[in-house]
Amino acid sequence: MRIRRRVIVAAALVVGTVGAATAVAATRPDEVEAVPTAASGTQARTSAPADEATASADTPSTVAHNGRTGRGTPSSGGGVRSVAAAARPVKEVAKAAPASVSYLANRYDVSQEEAARRVALQELSAPLAASLAADFPDAYAGMWLDQTRGGILTIAATDTEPVATAVAGLPDADHVRVVPARYTLRQLTEAAARLAAELSVTAGTDVVVDEKANEVVVLTGDVLRADDARLAGALAGAGVPARTQLRKDPSAILKACDPRYCAQAPMRGGIRLDIPRDNGTVGGCTSGFNLRARSGQYYVLTAGHCVASSTHTHVDQVWHQFLGPKVPVGVESTSPVLAEYTGALPYDYAALPYQPGALDQWAYPKRPTTPTPSLVNYWCVSDNPACANGGSHDVKVTGVTPYSSVQVGWIACATGSAYTPKAGETYVDSGAGVGYIPGTRCGEIKSTVGGGITVQVCARPGDSGGPLFTESDGKALGILHDGDPGSGPCTRADEKNTYAPVSLILDRLNARTGLGFQIATRGPLIEPIVSATRQ
């Protein structure tokens, strides 16, 4: 089976695994797809594809030794050396990411030490991808983590030798492979941009790049109809392999309902937001991340379908524990409009300003005597095996990982607050199903091709808008959009849910409003931060 990976356009490099797709056109039918090999040796290697019918049997294999390739090419890539120098020790990364380590150890039946190594390699991979794209634009073709084949970081390149030389000195280089690809990331990105212009759609959201397949993907089913008469000609003339894929799985359901309670400052990602509907019932979602505008004003990020769907045509007010004590949180902004829900990713977001006086409830004290980091709530649940080790805690949000840097095979964590009350409890039923426990779970990123981040993790109605983040470094990745149907306890090991990328949401918000939104790394604070360049 071909597992595919891609990159978002608009100067972006993104990783993803592709599900079912319709192959429309391949300009080069004899293309070579990069396929990782088993880990062996102590140096970064270049390998020919091993399991594709189109692979060249006599592709030369070179091994990087002491900064030089087997053919004597001088080493290059100063950016890569900087990445290697900045890499954190495995033990330090493991200490910061106990749930991610535990997930890998249980999922792949490996030791805690091996799982920690994989998480450390994941943390290294994002800056490495950016460095390789900058240092080797005429060779670099993308990368991905292959957990199934031993936690191998696989790097694709049209010219493997200089790339292999550059990465030979990386920490854990014996688990890094360089494999051949036909097209560079730059070639694919440029082709995707041309396709987007020809089809009058947006590069980066409607036309993307699948790195692992070394192809361009046109997403259909919403902005662009699958039977659009322009498609066949555009794909045939793309100059690189190109295909179509439906953006949205028809069986996916929204996770929009009611979370639980946590009425204590500071506001953090992963707590309950209750929202009355047009018909008098109450729905709800989960808080995602704290946002801050250039002005210093704070907002709460959640899913757009929580306030902008067909059941929310009025101006919504958002509460915490609507059935009591009914703590005010935010209000839907109409001037400017800060919520959007089109049914297509990534346009499912709402930036909620606070109701008058509500910030006093949710902000740090005016004159804090301790640090004031922005937080995500990491709430321990019984089906998260790392809870026995680390317990519940807050994760400090340190920034955003661009969608273009998110890679298949990463381990990410998600917090939600969906709940169905037991008999006698006073909570609005979120529709989660009896037995579902709200909190934090971690899982493996399986795809980034459909415009979102698809993760093998459990979620239920009421978790919508909840945060997806990397545990080791506190980076924001996405907020819950939709996913596989499910009710009650988390029993399906293969359940997947999809998250709207935070970096694309911020791009969209700022393009529409000019308000300079950022993920807050401090606060919320009652007295706004003066500098627009600091969080």
Side-chain angles (χ1 to χ4, degrees):
M1 180 178 71
R2 296 176 66 185
I3 300 176
R4 293 177 171 154
R5 159 192 171 89
R6 60 94 175 139
V7 172
I8 283 285
V9 185
L13 313 172
V14 177
V15 184
T17 303
V18 177
T22 302
V24 174
T27 305
R28 300 288 295 273
D30 60 338
E31 73 194 80
V32 176
E33 178 180 351
V35 177
T37 61
S40 62
T42 58
Q43 302 288 342
R45 300 176 180 273
T46 62
S47 308
D51 60 356
E52 289 291 309
T54 56
S56 172
D58 59 355
T59 301
S61 176
T62 61
V63 181
H65 293 287
N66 301 321
R68 301 181 67 86
T69 66
R71 293 181 179 176
T73 304
S75 176
S76 62
V80 176
R81 288 192 292 273
S82 298
V83 170
R88 292 199 293 171
V90 171
K91 289 184 178 180
E92 183 179 333
V93 176
K95 185 177 180 181
S100 300
V101 170
S102 181
Y103 170 86
L104 284 169
N106 284 277
R107 177 72 179 173
Y108 293 100
D109 193 24
V110 297
S111 68
Q112 291 285 314
E113 291 75 17
E114 166 62 11
R117 177 199 69 74
R118 296 186 185 197
V119 176
L121 189 58
Q122 167 182 316
E123 186 172 288
L124 175 74
S125 63
L128 177 62
S131 294
L132 291 174
D135 290 349
F136 302 97
D138 295 324
Y140 177 67
M143 71 168 62
W144 58 94
L145 263 171
D146 193 333
Q147 302 290 4
T148 303
R149 299 192 183 189
I152 303 297
L153 181 62
T154 306
I155 302 169
T158 57
D159 184 357
T160 58
E161 292 189 37
V163 175
T165 298
V167 302
L170 287 174
D172 199 15
D174 52 333
H175 290 93
V176 178
R177 294 290 177 270
V178 182
V179 296
R182 187 168 297 279
Y183 300 97
T184 67
L185 205 51
R186 183 166 66 177
Q187 289 174 310
L188 294 170
T189 299
E190 290 172 350
R194 292 192 302 270
L195 264 174
E198 185 175 350
L199 295 170
S200 302
V201 294
T202 304
T205 55
D206 304 315
V207 184
V208 299
V209 175
D210 183 339
E211 287 184 28
K212 197 167 185 180
N214 209 227
E215 295 176 349
V216 171
V217 181
V218 179
L219 300 175
T220 63
D222 40 62
V223 177
L224 190 66
R225 292 174 56 91
D227 59 356
D228 191 300
R230 298 171 296 171
L231 273 172
L235 292 171
V240 298
R243 69 182 194 278
T244 63
Q245 177 178 309
L246 282 173
R247 185 193 302 272
K248 186 177 179 66
D249 182 350
S251 66
I253 61 170
L254 294 175
K255 299 295 176 73
C257 278
D258 218 50
R260 292 184 73 178
Y261 52 71
C262 180
Q264 60 187 47
M267 170 58 69
R268 64 202 64 184
I271 73 168
R272 171 183 174 177
L273 302 177
D274 293 337
I275 309 164
R277 301 187 182 99
D278 293 349
N279 63 4
T281 63
V282 180
C285 290
T286 299
S287 60
F289 297 95
N290 291 310
L291 296 181
R292 186 178 63 82
R294 187 184 300 110
S295 64
Q297 182 175 353
Y298 284 90
Y299 299 76
V300 179
L301 177 65
T302 191
H305 63 259
C306 301
V307 300
S309 69
S310 59
T311 60
H312 292 274
T313 60
H314 61 286
V315 176
D316 289 289
Q317 289 188 315
V318 180
W319 310 83
H320 185 64
Q321 291 178 262
F322 185 81
L323 298 181
K326 197 177 180 182
V327 180
V329 181
V331 60
E332 180 186 359
S333 175
T334 58
S335 182
V337 175
L338 300 179
E340 184 177 15
Y341 174 57
T342 65
L345 289 166
Y347 306 132
D348 185 9
Y349 63 85
L352 303 173
Y354 283 89
Q355 294 184 36
L359 188 60
D360 292 339
Q361 166 76 31
W362 298 105
Y364 282 102
K366 285 188 176 181
R367 294 177 177 82
T369 58
T370 57
T372 57
S374 183
L375 302 172
V376 165
N377 187 29
Y378 189 109
W379 185 251
C380 205
V381 292
S382 57
D383 51 295
N384 181 341
C387 286
N389 301 325
S392 300
H393 60 281
D394 288 317
V395 174
K396 297 177 183 178
V397 178
T398 62
V400 181
T401 296
Y403 185 35
S404 58
S405 298
V406 178
Q407 298 175 19
V408 166
W410 280 12
I411 307 305
C413 298
T415 300
S417 18
Y419 188 60
T420 290
K422 300 175 184 177
E425 288 185 300
T426 306
Y427 296 102
V428 175
D429 186 353
S430 76
V434 175
Y436 178 72
I437 304 171
T440 305
R441 295 168 174 85
C442 302
E444 184 177 340
I445 295 177
K446 291 295 187 179
S447 174
T448 58
V449 168
I453 303 168
T454 299
V455 186
Q456 191 166 322
V457 70
C458 180
R460 294 288 180 264
D463 290 337
S464 278
L468 181 73
F469 57 96
T470 42
E471 183 186 16
S472 67
D473 55 6
K475 298 292 187 184
L477 301 181
I479 58 174
L480 181 61
H481 168 64
D482 67 9
D484 291 344
S487 179
C490 297
T491 57
R492 283 182 51 198
D494 62 346
E495 180 181 341
K496 298 180 184 66
N497 287 278
T498 300
Y499 295 76
V502 167
S503 65
L504 297 187
I505 289 172
L506 293 176
D507 289 345
R508 177 73 165 183
L509 262 175
N510 290 326
R512 297 182 77 192
T513 68
L515 294 180
F517 281 101
Q518 297 176 314
I519 287 290
T521 57
R522 291 175 56 193
L525 303 173
I526 294 176
E527 297 176 351
I529 301 170
V530 175
S531 172
T533 61
R534 297 181 60 191
Q535 292 179 289

